[in-house]
Amino acid sequence: MSNYLITGATSGLGRQVAKRLARQGGNHLVLPCRDASRGEQLRKELSAFGATEVSVPTLDLASLASVAAFTREFSKRNTMQLDGVLLNAGGQSAHVMEATVDGIEASFAVNHLAHFLLLKGLMPVLASRSIVGWTASATHDPNERAAKMSGFRGAQYTTAARLAKGDYGNASESQACKDAYATSKLCNIVMAHALANTQPELASFFSFDPGLMPGTGLARKHGAGAQWVWRHVLPRLAAVLPGASSTEKSSAILTDLLTGRLRGSYNGAYFNYTAKQLEPAAPAKERWVADDLLATSTALTSAYC
């Protein structure tokens, strides 16, 4: 039996990956959820596919205290070792920058920092040949045509301390929301590459751009009109939209990465929704970015370790 932990499995890409693993059978799926009722619905749905075990413990990635409590309980209650960890959950503010209960900008906090703390707490229970992946995004690349069409201008990495405060200079609030999302996804790519360099014996690491996937919950904080277009119009145009994919297609590749059927030419590689290994845009592989991100993330989470 293989054991997999996936965040963000109640909807979208994470749900499709969980379904694929459940259909395989013989896997134990650990799917932390913020909403207990949605988690129970997910458990029942996936159990019907033949997964040996499905557990849906409570976890709120918008609270570092919740993340710390989860890892403590997980280590206490489980003797299993994790063969794969998919750090997939994420969010994007729409028009107003938001902060978590810890006073940290929400995109940076949920998409990066909570997963940083979660993985740190799970390191003692990783199997010897485990695989750890992050869901990233091409929005980090200032030259990505599809992202530019949606108003993204690439990651705006300055220092992690400024990112945690939601400081994006003179950008308008709506632009800062896009910048925060793109930069948090850059952080995911940086983490995969940095840990592959500093702790290659711990696991095989990767990051993955699933492409634009209309119909998922990413637009949930946008206005009603934008959400309607996202859910009902854009999915029908996905075949002709540049940079677009679907949860069905992207989840197939992501599942192959998580289970080791698809591997990069080096540890920490970055893939996109066509299964191609790509080089991410600067400054994803610059040493000063990795050093700054690791140091600041460690400092911000030190009280919870």
Side-chain angles (χ1 to χ4, degrees):
M1 179 187 295
S2 296
N3 305 308
Y4 296 97
L5 185 147
I6 303 171
T7 65
T10 56
S11 64
L13 182 64
R15 191 184 195 95
Q16 289 298 324
V17 172
K19 282 184 177 181
R20 288 181 178 277
L21 292 172
R23 290 190 187 105
Q24 291 177 6
N27 293 318
H28 180 191
L29 306 182
V30 182
L31 310 173
C33 304
R34 180 177 57 182
D35 186 323
S37 62
R38 291 183 69 187
E40 181 57 21
Q41 291 174 4
L42 178 64
R43 188 193 65 76
K44 290 180 179 178
E45 178 184 358
L46 296 182
S47 294
F49 283 111
T52 304
E53 294 182 51
V54 180
S55 55
V56 287
T58 301
L59 171 63
D60 183 0
L61 291 170
S63 165
L64 293 176
S66 175
V67 176
F70 172 84
T71 56
R72 285 196 300 269
E73 284 298 306
F74 188 84
S75 298
K76 183 190 304 183
R77 294 178 179 273
N78 295 282
T79 58
M80 75 175 77
Q81 289 193 309
L82 294 170
D83 299 283
V85 175
L86 178 57
L87 304 172
N88 166 73
Q92 177 188 350
S93 299
H95 305 294
V96 179
M97 294 287 277
E98 300 172 300
T100 64
V101 293
D102 301 299
I104 300 170
E105 191 280 315
S107 293
F108 180 83
V110 174
N111 300 355
H112 162 67
L113 194 62
H115 283 137
F116 174 88
L117 181 60
L118 176 63
L119 181 57
K120 192 170 185 178
L122 293 175
M123 284 181 179
V125 296
L126 293 179
S128 59
R129 295 184 179 181
S130 61
I131 299 175
V132 178
W134 286 258
T135 299
S137 170
T139 58
H140 84 280
D141 186 348
N143 297 314
E144 174 59 37
R145 185 162 65 97
K148 289 168 70 174
M149 290 171 58
S150 299
F152 289 94
R153 55 177 184 167
Q156 303 293 307
Y157 196 99
T158 50
T159 67
R162 288 182 63 181
L163 304 183
K165 295 176 182 178
D167 181 359
Y168 286 89
N170 297 323
S172 67
E173 192 119 12
S174 60
Q175 184 63 58
C177 289
K178 290 182 171 65
D179 291 348
Y181 178 79
T183 309
S184 71
K185 292 301 184 177
L186 173 84
C187 292
N188 294 163
I189 299 170
V190 170
M191 286 303 304
H193 190 258
L195 291 178
N197 284 338
T198 60
Q199 301 189 59
E201 74 289 345
L202 184 66
S204 294
F205 301 96
F206 72 87
S207 58
F208 175 69
D209 162 33
L212 178 70
M213 297 183 296
T216 62
L218 187 60
R220 59 185 174 272
K221 293 186 179 180
H222 289 258
Q227 288 192 46
W228 189 87
V229 171
W230 176 256
R231 292 185 179 278
H232 301 287
V233 177
L234 292 183
R236 298 185 179 188
L237 301 175
V240 296
L241 287 173
S245 182
S246 67
T247 55
E248 186 67 22
K249 292 178 181 178
S250 293
S251 67
I253 298 164
L254 187 49
T255 303
D256 284 348
L257 285 166
L258 185 62
T259 56
R261 288 193 290 269
L262 175 62
R263 291 183 178 271
S265 61
Y266 60 85
N267 195 356
Y270 170 62
F271 289 83
N272 77 354
Y273 59 95
T274 68
K276 290 182 180 179
Q277 180 180 324
L278 304 175
E279 289 304 307
K285 295 173 70 173
E286 295 181 15
R287 178 64 180 271
W288 74 268
V289 174
D291 289 347
D292 175 73
L293 183 61
L294 288 169
T296 302
S297 300
T298 298
L300 290 172
T301 58
S302 61
Y304 301 94
C305 296

